[in-house]
Amino acid sequence: MVAIHPVVVALLPLIPSALGQTCATINPVNAATFASGYEGPRGIIFDIQGNLLTAEQSSYGLRYIQLTDNGGTNICVRSQKQLVADSSLNHGIALTPDGKKLFASSKTTVYSWDYDGTTGTVGNKKTVVTGMSTSGHVSRTLLVPKTQPNVLLVQVGSNGNLDTGAAQASSGRSQIRIFKLADLEAGSKAYTTGELLGYGIRNNAGIAEDIHGGIFSVNNGMDDMTVNGKDVHNTNPCEELNYHGRINDTSSPERGKSYGYPTCHSIYDPSVLPSPFNTQLKVGDTVTNGASSSTCTRVAPKLCFPAHTAPLDLKFNSGGSAAYVTFHGSWDKTPPDGYRVSRVAWNSQTGQPVASVTNTSAAQNIMYNANNAACPSGCFRPVGLAWSPSGKLFLSSDATNEIWVIGGAK
Ligand SMILES: *[C@@H]1O[C@H](CO)[C@@H](O)[C@H](O)[C@H]1NC(C)=O
Ligand SMILES: *[C@@H]1O[C@H](CO)[C@@H](O)[C@H](O)[C@H]1NC(C)=O
């Protein structure tokens, strides 16, 4: 059911119900045979002790999973327990690089805890960011950058497909804000008081830091797009890879800027646009939804992924030569697309993708459903990515309640 690119040595599921199994080599198995066990796993991270932490959206909260990694694909679950019982926590999870402060989010609020990875315990829950949008996209993505570990990035998506209010940064939607941890320590902060990293980004579900401290994000574009009355939605707009400058560079050209939404949308497939756009525009150029203008002031994407594939996370490899991206998959496209993990080649010197924005083959498939016919309810739908301390790439699939490890990801 799940197909694997040759680059992947093996992959296997980690099933909590398999507790008590010995840590002998687990053979690669077929996705069809999996038992379920997790409760809608979304964001996943490793602590500095090598334990896996998950945020699970189906009224569970956070989980602490001790793994035994004997090398290669010889990994198993040694023990697991509920770390935080809170049904409102649904996606975002982040840890400071020193492994001592844990953050997790509900739709409206970010919380923090003192964290002890050795015992798998947390201190008292503290409310740190409040007042995030109550409607539309419900997941919030959190990141404490390694190159600037004294701040927390918090993302909020739009309140619907076309959120006109999100044109204003003051709406607190379709944007990423930066909070100083010292300020959060002093007391909770309203979301809109954070420093603006970028706005006009419909639903920036994945945010990652490259080896230079550059911040990249993956955005889910609008549904049901039309241009001058023509329905172009099946292959438009792009799902974008956006760049936000280096986190420590407060005067980067991208800092605090608009990426175009809800007015401007990046074109994935110019060929279906009405004249003259079909001949004038290239992949990654912009056009306004429903109207006739292609003049927009915005930060342009660095890459365009196929429409409605729903990228939800990205993570860089340790050498900075690739980013892995999860595509959760579509509903607004025929046939459905996404439901895969892809690798994007990166230039570790420049800190930018190797491919240009017009290259629609920049994302190479690594792991995908051999047949998407069972999607979206009965197939692999990847969400969160995390590198283990030993350099293996783990990922969650919320629809199938699984956690996977890709043995050969480099
Ligand atoms: C930001 O960090 C990078 C990499 O750590 C460093 O080379 C650069 O000088 C820093 N820039 C600023 C403005 O501090
Ligand atoms: C597009 O990117 C892929 C992956 O990096 C690469 O193999 C391919 O040669 C690129 N195509 C063009 C036209 O540059």
Side-chain angles (χ1 to χ4, degrees), residues 2-212:
V2 172
I4 307 159
H5 187 274
V7 75
V8 178
V9 173
L11 72 180
L12 50 96
L14 297 170
I15 304 164
S17 57
L19 274 181
Q21 72 190 18
T22 59
C23 287
T25 300
I26 302 168
N27 292 320
V29 289
N30 187 295
T33 64
F34 292 168
S36 62
Y38 299 95
E39 310 274 344
R42 299 279 294 186
I44 58 172
I45 56 173
F46 277 90
D47 68 12
I48 61 173
Q49 290 81 10
N51 305 301
L52 182 63
L53 308 184
T54 63
E56 302 183 22
Q57 68 184 358
S58 306
S59 301
Y60 179 81
L62 310 182
R63 194 186 301 262
Y64 170 86
I65 304 167
Q66 290 188 301
L67 301 173
T68 298
D69 183 345
N70 297 313
T73 57
N74 188 346
I75 298 176
C76 65
V77 174
R78 188 160 76 247
S79 74
Q80 59 94 21
K81 65 179 178 183
Q82 194 166 32
L83 180 64
V84 174
D86 182 337
S87 62
S88 75
L89 304 178
N90 65 359
H91 184 94
I93 183 167
L95 196 57
T96 50
D98 68 5
K100 291 182 175 165
K101 187 73 78 178
L102 180 67
F103 297 92
S105 56
S106 70
K107 182 167 61 175
T108 58
T109 309
V110 182
Y111 303 99
S112 78
W113 298 260
D114 288 337
Y115 175 73
D116 182 338
T118 306
T119 55
T121 51
V122 291
N124 291 334
K125 177 163 103 171
K126 191 168 171 164
T127 299
V128 292
V129 179
T130 60
M132 296 187 287
S133 175
T134 54
S135 57
H137 293 103
V138 298
S139 65
R140 313 289 168 234
T141 300
L142 310 177
L143 178 74
V144 179
K146 286 198 166 61
T147 56
Q148 196 175 330
N150 61 342
V151 298
L152 173 71
L153 274 49
V154 183
Q155 171 269 356
V156 175
S158 65
N159 72 3
N161 184 33
L162 259 190
D163 180 349
T164 50
Q168 310 303 323
S170 58
S171 67
R173 297 190 302 274
S174 296
Q175 57 195 253
I176 304 172
R177 287 188 184 258
I178 307 168
F179 296 86
K180 291 197 173 73
L181 299 194
D183 290 348
L184 300 181
E185 211 40 52
S188 69
K189 297 282 171 291
Y191 181 69
T192 50
T193 65
E195 187 206 335
L196 198 61
L197 179 63
Y199 72 107
I201 320 161
R202 183 171 170 275
N203 189 29
N204 233 358
I207 307 175
E209 176 191 24
D210 76 356
I211 60 169
H212 303 286

Side-chain angles (χ1 to χ4, degrees), residues 147-148 197 210-215 243-252 254-255 348-351:
T147 56
Q148 196 175 330
L197 179 63
D210 76 356
I211 60 169
H212 303 286
I215 303 296
Y243 181 53
H244 304 279
R246 290 186 179 178
I247 187 61
N248 64 354
D249 184 359
T250 53
S251 55
S252 78
E254 296 84 11
R255 192 83 158 201
S348 58
Q349 309 275 297
T350 63

